[in-house]
Amino acid sequence: MGLSEGGKVAEVLAGPSLIGIFLNVGLLGVMITQVNQYYNAFPKDPLWMKLYVATLLISDCVNSAFNIAWVYNTLVNQFGNLDALAGADWLFSSEQSMAGITSMMVQCFYAWRIQVLTKQWWLVVIVVLSSLVSGLCAIGTAIGVSIVKDFSKFQSLDVIALPWLISCTLCDVLIALALSLYLRKHRTGFAHTDTVVNKIIRSTVQNGMLTASFTIAHIVSYLASPTGIHMIFNYGVVKLYTNSVMSSLNSRREWVNSLSQHSSSRKDDGANMSNFVSTNRSMRPQVTINVETHEMVDIGTSKTDPEWPDMVSSDSGKSMHGAQEKYAV
């Protein structure tokens, strides 16, 4: 049985959008789980970090609510209305603007991490500028969608939509490369500690490449197909950004536990952790051990740490003999 006239119109954009919204809502569930895990595991994190996480969660919930409202109104309330199927409203355009705002919040957060680790302001400026270009172009795309309205004429928005997607992809790749190269360069030379560093590098690359791959797929499908296939990636990438941040935050517990267990066993290729700290101090004075960013773990502080007080392990503190040298992760 062939599609009706309304079905053919809906197949072009409403169908792919519905699939993308399913993905969007599914990832919202993952986000809620990760946020709950974060607040339970890190009650002593700085207040600004907790507020940042809460802002991301609220943004995700509002985004999903607008998306569900749009698809319900289009496919249910406006059932049989071809004009509603072929045109956009403010609920539809809110997806583009919120995608840009969310990506800016996440990318600027990673820019802060780069500044804490590398102290390279020129690199931070490049990341922030590319993020701002991406976010502002996304908001501009949303405004353009509200003006054009007709889905068949959306190709006229290429002049602002493509800079949005390209700059967003470049920003993600730059963040992943900057962090992974820095961590790789500052390995300690001790097997167990380097294993933890390698895990952080893999996590950084995976998070950056996952969001970048979705934006690349968005670009390719947007240019290659006149249909709305690209909307699947557009709806999904918003939640991937927030989930990547929460994944990084929650991974701190695993990393600090790994380092603490090793410290208590006092074994690392024949050297205990206290020897590692004292040796590291003399051989590699440029390496520090701490989590100054959202992924940082303090393995060598005293029992109180004003920034990450809940990340201190008493066993590791004893074995480190109060050493204060830090490794920024």
Side-chain angles (χ1 to χ4, degrees):
M1 180 182 296
L3 292 174
S4 64
E5 184 177 356
K8 293 177 181 178
V9 175
E11 186 181 31
V12 174
L13 190 133
S17 295
L18 181 62
I19 296 173
I21 291 172
F22 285 155
L23 177 61
N24 182 286
V25 174
L27 290 173
L28 174 63
V30 178
M31 177 65 177
I32 293 174
T33 301
Q34 292 203 82
V35 169
N36 178 67
Q37 179 183 349
Y38 167 77
Y39 282 118
N40 288 331
F42 304 101
K44 296 182 181 179
D45 265 4
L47 178 61
W48 72 265
M49 183 76 72
K50 296 178 181 179
L51 293 176
Y52 175 76
V53 171
T55 301
L56 291 180
L57 178 61
I58 293 172
S59 174
D60 268 6
C61 291
V62 171
N63 171 247
S64 293
F66 284 174
N67 293 338
I68 293 172
W70 171 76
V71 77
Y72 186 88
N73 179 67
T74 301
L75 299 182
V76 178
N77 294 342
Q78 301 294 331
F79 181 78
N81 185 345
L82 298 185
D83 291 336
L85 288 173
D89 58 13
W90 72 270
L91 287 170
F92 179 84
S93 62
S94 70
E95 168 62 22
Q96 286 71 43
S97 59
M98 296 201 70
I101 293 171
T102 300
S103 65
M104 276 197 298
M105 288 194 296
V106 172
Q107 289 165 344
C108 288
F109 184 79
Y110 283 128
W112 168 78
R113 183 211 286 183
I114 292 174
Q115 189 278 325
V116 170
L117 287 173
T118 68
K119 309 298 183 183
Q120 300 292 330
W121 283 102
W122 64 270
L123 185 57
V124 175
V125 169
I126 293 176
V127 172
V128 171
L129 286 178
S130 60
S131 178
L132 289 177
V133 169
S134 171
L136 293 176
C137 286
I139 295 173
T141 301
I143 296 174
V145 168
S146 299
I147 295 173
V148 174
K149 293 185 181 297
D150 190 345
F151 291 148
S152 63
K153 299 178 180 179
F154 277 3
Q155 294 296 325
S156 62
L157 301 176
D158 288 359
V159 66
I160 193 169
L162 290 179
W164 160 32
L165 300 175
I166 293 173
S167 58
C168 189
T169 303
L170 292 177
C171 187
D172 291 340
V173 173
L174 180 59
I175 290 171
L177 287 177
L179 292 174
S180 59
L181 290 176
Y182 177 86
L183 292 171
R184 184 178 296 274
K185 180 180 178 181
H186 288 80
R187 285 172 173 168
T188 65
F190 292 88
H192 186 83
T193 307
D194 283 350
T195 297
V196 177
V197 173
N198 288 336
K199 289 180 180 179
I200 299 172
I201 293 174
R202 286 196 297 270
S203 175
T204 300
V205 174
Q206 287 169 359
N207 288 335
M209 292 301 101
L210 183 59
T211 53
S213 64
F214 257 64
T215 52
I216 290 173
H218 192 175
I219 295 172
V220 172
S221 57
Y222 179 76
L223 295 176
S225 174
T227 65
I229 297 297
H230 62 93
M231 294 303 298
I232 297 176
F233 304 102
N234 185 54
Y235 282 106
V237 75
V238 181
K239 296 299 189 290
L240 290 180
Y241 276 110
T242 53
N243 273 277
S244 70
V245 170
M246 297 312 304
S247 175
S248 298
L249 285 170
N250 290 329
S251 294
R252 289 178 297 162
R253 180 62 64 188
E254 175 188 350
W255 296 331
V256 75
N257 287 342
S258 179
L259 288 170
S260 297
Q261 290 170 6
H262 176 72
S263 175
S264 62
S265 67
R266 296 173 178 259
K267 292 180 180 180
D268 193 332
D269 292 337
N272 61 33
M273 188 59 78
S274 58
N275 288 337
F276 158 68
V277 174
S278 58
T279 301
N280 188 51
R281 185 165 300 183
S282 60
M283 294 178 62
R284 297 176 181 246
Q286 78 278 12
V287 175
T288 55
I289 298 188
N290 178 31
V291 189
E292 296 255 83
T293 72
H294 62 284
E295 294 179 343
M296 300 188 188
V297 210
D298 200 354
I299 68 170
T301 61
S302 58
K303 288 189 176 182
T304 58
D305 187 320
E307 184 173 7
W308 304 110
D310 61 326
M311 296 300 296
V312 179
S313 169
S314 58
D315 290 339
S316 63
K318 293 177 181 178
S319 64
M320 303 286 283
H321 303 293
Q324 296 296 320
E325 191 148 9
K326 300 179 177 179
Y327 189 124
V329 180

